[in-house]
Amino acid sequence: MRTLAPCLMGVLALFAPGTAAAQRADAVFQQANEAYFQGDYEGAIRGYELLVESGIEDPDVAYNLGTAHARLGRWGHAIRWFETALRLRPGDEGTEQALAAARAALGRRQADAHGEAVVQTRPPFYEAVVRPFSENALAWTVLLLDLAFFGVLVARRLTRGETVRLALGIAIPLVGVLLVLGGLGLAVKAGAFREGDPGVVLVQDATVREGPDPRAQPRGRADEGEPARILDAHGDFYRVELPGGRAGWMEQAQVGRI
């Protein structure tokens, strides 16, 4: 559970024509925190969601939403908001621990109910590598490596000393490899290799249908906490892709966008 952070105050100020809107949002945040500490987790969730619906994206609001849902045993919702908090503040140790705890608790509940459980605890390797870094940090890294690469090329062209030229000749491919890896990391972080937006299944035994209609033929089921790619939206449904190549339409209330 986190209290109002300076970064949230900065975000609130951007939404305010003066200070009134920021003060109102601050009051909503404080009221939601008070509700949480009094054990009114539903009231806390309503307050935090009001901030999200107003357009505020803040890692502490997302973290608190995840914590409040976890208190109610809504592990799919908790995973969604912890993942959102990590998108907004990559590498935060406390959020990573909370996310791991939520997935472990969900796994235990599913095992108790079905005798076994498969809950994704880690993202794919290529996503795990860039997970601790923000997209902006990777973009700056690529820019600096690009400048370094061309700087080394120019320096080698202008240098006359053989020893220095040899050292620069060795540095060129090394910096080039780092530049390529940095570019790939940025592309992975930006989702260039995956269609749609990341999401998570919020409820257990969610129905996957053949079309965006509650009367459409069921195609399968999805488990709470499963990762999903949101490919399209139609009415109250999302077209999603699930692990194992499964795809179909799910009610928006059953899938949360990260």
Side-chain angles (χ1 to χ4, degrees):
M1 180 66 188
R2 296 175 181 175
T3 55
L4 193 64
C7 62
L8 177 57
M9 287 300 296
V11 173
L12 298 180
L14 294 177
F15 284 87
T19 59
Q23 290 173 345
R24 286 195 296 272
D26 184 15
V28 171
F29 190 85
Q30 298 294 354
Q31 289 168 3
N33 285 347
E34 291 173 6
Y36 178 93
F37 288 122
Q38 292 171 6
D40 180 11
Y41 305 122
E42 293 283 9
I45 289 169
R46 286 194 295 271
Y48 299 134
E49 287 183 340
L50 185 62
L51 294 174
V52 173
E53 290 166 4
S54 71
I56 293 172
E57 281 196 320
D58 181 84
D60 290 327
V61 173
Y63 178 89
N64 287 0
L65 263 168
T67 303
H69 278 294
R71 288 287 188 175
L72 295 172
R74 297 173 183 165
W75 301 116
H77 289 270
I79 290 169
R80 175 203 181 181
W81 289 110
F82 289 142
E83 288 278 16
T84 300
L86 285 170
R87 175 177 62 80
L88 297 170
R89 185 187 288 149
D92 184 77
E93 184 177 352
T95 308
E96 289 281 9
Q97 292 174 351
L99 175 60
R103 285 175 171 157
L106 175 60
R108 288 193 296 271
R109 185 168 72 187
Q110 291 178 347
D112 290 342
H114 305 292
E116 61 178 359
V118 178
V119 178
Q120 178 175 319
T121 58
R122 295 177 181 272
F125 174 76
Y126 57 89
E127 292 183 3
V129 170
V130 299
R131 184 181 180 91
F133 309 103
S134 69
E135 192 171 328
N136 284 341
L138 289 171
W140 276 107
T141 300
V142 170
L143 176 60
L144 293 174
L145 287 170
D146 190 38
L147 294 173
F149 181 73
F150 287 101
V152 173
L153 285 176
V154 172
R156 190 173 189 275
R157 184 181 182 88
L158 298 177
T159 298
R160 294 291 179 261
E162 286 301 321
T163 302
V164 177
R165 283 176 60 83
L166 177 61
L168 292 173
I170 295 173
I172 288 172
L174 293 177
V175 176
V177 169
L178 291 174
L179 177 59
V180 171
L181 292 176
L184 287 174
L186 178 59
V188 169
K189 192 70 175 182
F193 301 118
R194 303 194 69 176
E195 186 181 359
D197 298 325
V200 63
V201 178
L202 301 177
V203 297
Q204 184 63 27
D205 292 327
T207 303
V208 183
R209 300 186 180 276
E210 292 187 351
D213 190 295
R215 296 164 295 182
Q217 184 70 23
R219 178 177 287 181
R221 315 292 289 184
D223 291 326
E224 184 177 5
E226 274 196 271
R229 301 296 299 184
I230 299 173
L231 308 177
D232 196 5
H234 186 281
D236 294 329
F237 283 78
Y238 284 135
R239 183 166 67 89
V240 302
E241 183 180 276
L242 298 165
R246 294 172 295 152
W249 293 85
M250 296 178 63
E251 295 180 22
Q252 291 187 9
Q254 297 179 334
V255 184
R257 194 185 300 270
I258 295 172

